Amino acid sequence: FQAIAATLQASWNLEAVLEGCLQAACQAARAPGGAICLLETPGAGLRLAADRRLGPAALSPCLTASDGLPALCLASGRAVARVLGSPAEGDFLAAGFRSGAAFPLRDAEGVRGSLLLLRGRPFGKAEVALLAPVTDQVGLAVGSALLYHQAWEKTARLEGLIHLTRD
């Protein structure tokens, strides 16, 4: 929890928060690989926002597909863990990952996306339960950074408009 809080306090830069939170979650899960996928807009599809040690697998369509692990956890509203093996997950298998666990990322605004953790050995039910508080903290940190980023963008646009009207 301290690593996630430190990441959020150190920077309100959205990319830095995503990378720091992903690194902390991967360390907590002893997972060498992972990704954060964010919802474009409520009800829309996922987009890859951060990845860790995925290499070419970061381009895998199953990261954002409706039947991929990140989307399945959003559809069920809870963590989903399984051994990888479908043909669509071939990129992950080629990268040496054999198991994945995906967790919904939530904050006060609702579901923001999902956190995917990847490693060689399977995730047990007890491990998934122990990781839930970590992923809850990641969800809050990501949500805060997204709100700050959106407010910063709106402020920048308003400042631009004010500058245009003065000229």
Side-chain angles (χ1 to χ4, degrees):
F1 298 116
Q2 291 174 335
I4 294 167
T7 296
L8 186 57
Q9 290 174 355
S11 172
W12 285 104
N13 175 298
L14 180 58
E15 289 178 17
V17 170
L18 293 171
E19 294 292 335
C21 286
L22 181 57
Q23 179 180 349
C26 285
Q27 287 174 345
R30 295 186 177 102
I36 293 179
C37 297
L38 298 177
L39 290 167
E40 288 290 337
T41 57
L46 290 167
R47 70 171 173 86
L48 178 64
D51 74 273
R52 180 173 168 81
R53 297 188 180 152
L54 294 188
L59 302 175
S60 176
C62 74
L63 269 175
T64 56
S66 61
D67 60 346
L69 267 177
L72 290 177
C73 78
L74 296 180
S76 69
R78 59 184 177 80
V80 175
R82 71 171 188 225
V83 174
L84 304 174
S86 76
E89 295 166 332
D91 292 330
F92 295 135
L93 295 169
F97 302 117
R98 302 291 178 256
S99 180
F103 302 83
L105 296 177
R106 297 181 187 93
D107 69 355
E109 301 288 318
V111 177
R112 296 293 193 148
S114 63
L115 169 69
L116 175 66
L117 301 171
L118 299 162
R119 66 184 192 193
R121 63 182 174 82
F123 288 87
K125 289 182 183 180
E127 274 184 300
V128 171
L130 286 171
L131 288 168
V134 173
T135 61
D136 288 344
Q137 290 295 310
V138 170
L140 293 172
V142 168
S144 295
L146 283 168
L147 288 172
Y148 180 84
H149 184 73
Q150 291 164 354
W152 181 84
E153 283 181 332
K154 287 178 183 176
T155 301
R157 274 187 258 141
L158 287 173
E159 286 176 351
L161 289 172
I162 290 169
H163 180 71
L164 287 174
T165 58
R166 285 186 186 160
D167 294 342

